[in-house]
Amino acid sequence: GWACWKTYLGRPHTDGKRCVAMQLLGSTLRSNQRHEEALSVLEANLALTRRFWSQDEDLILSAQANVANCLTVPGLRDKARQDEALVLRRGIYARRLAVNGASHVDAIGSGCNVACSLIIMKRFGESRRLLRDLLVRSRQSLGSDHDFTLNIVHSLVETLTLNPERTRDDLLEVETILQ
């Protein structure tokens, strides 16, 4: 993290390697539970990406996803940050759907991130509807054994079992899913 950043620190702000080093530093800080520092670095990286690489939508979406992922870590989970993460993730998902199509791996992955935010926020009805849709698309386009498909199954089971308003039908659906 820091060594990589120090190596590229002296380069111009427009240097791609400097941008990658900054992203790596933010990700490393997040991995080492230094969430506030990581968030500052990742937000700065997003600002630089928007400023100097505004034409590279994929790069911007990736930088936004890094910020959203940092906002959802347990140490930073307050309502305002969860709302911010959900807004970012919904925006990313909408762009992935528009650019790549509903069955593309990036769109499905972005949809999974939205569902995770909804689960964290205990918005089980919304997460259930989204996850059911994602599961159909993921199985069709990626296959039942793909990591995203398996993560969607796990998240759907989590949504159905954690919901305090779950019904008997929800639990029967969990049983069917797990068989």
Side-chain angles (χ1 to χ4, degrees):
W2 283 113
C4 182
W5 173 243
K6 288 177 183 178
T7 300
Y8 295 103
L9 177 62
R11 292 179 180 247
H13 291 298
T14 56
D15 187 293
K17 290 182 177 101
R18 179 187 167 118
C19 185
V20 170
M22 187 179 245
Q23 187 275 326
L24 181 62
L25 173 60
S27 296
T28 302
L29 288 168
R30 189 178 80 215
S31 296
N32 287 310
Q33 312 302 315
R34 296 171 66 180
H35 305 299
E36 290 289 346
E37 294 166 282
L39 184 58
S40 295
V41 170
L42 293 171
E43 286 175 333
N45 185 51
L46 175 58
L48 284 175
T49 302
R50 284 179 172 152
R51 182 174 176 193
F52 296 114
W53 293 279
S54 59
Q55 75 287 354
D56 191 338
E57 186 168 25
D58 193 56
L59 192 61
I60 292 170
L61 292 173
S62 295
Q64 287 175 322
N66 286 331
V67 170
N69 291 341
C70 194
L71 288 167
T72 60
V73 297
L76 298 178
R77 283 190 188 164
D78 63 41
K79 172 103 172 78
R81 286 190 168 168
Q82 289 307 309
D83 289 341
E84 185 181 350
L86 182 58
V87 167
L88 277 171
R89 285 179 165 180
R90 281 189 169 159
I92 294 164
Y93 182 48
R95 287 305 304 151
R96 294 286 187 201
L97 286 172
V99 172
N100 304 113
S103 295
H104 192 276
V105 66
D106 290 341
I108 292 169
S110 296
C112 290
N113 288 337
V114 172
C116 287
S117 282
L118 292 168
I119 292 168
I120 290 168
M121 298 172 80
K122 299 184 182 344
R123 293 165 72 171
F124 299 114
E126 286 180 76
S127 64
R128 181 180 60 232
R129 286 187 294 279
L130 177 58
L131 287 164
R132 284 177 176 157
D133 178 54
L134 286 170
L135 185 57
V136 170
R137 286 190 276 136
S138 188
R139 282 182 173 154
Q140 287 174 347
S141 61
L142 305 176
S144 295
D145 292 334
H146 193 278
D147 284 346
F148 282 161
T149 306
L150 297 173
N151 286 335
I152 293 166
V153 167
H154 176 266
S155 295
L156 182 55
V157 167
E158 185 178 29
T159 293
L160 293 170
T161 55
L162 291 178
N163 185 354
E165 298 172 9
R166 67 186 168 270
T167 65
R168 178 170 161 51
D169 287 342
D170 291 336
L171 296 176
L172 290 173
E173 183 177 352
V174 168
E175 184 178 5
T176 301
I177 289 170
L178 294 176
Q179 290 178 346

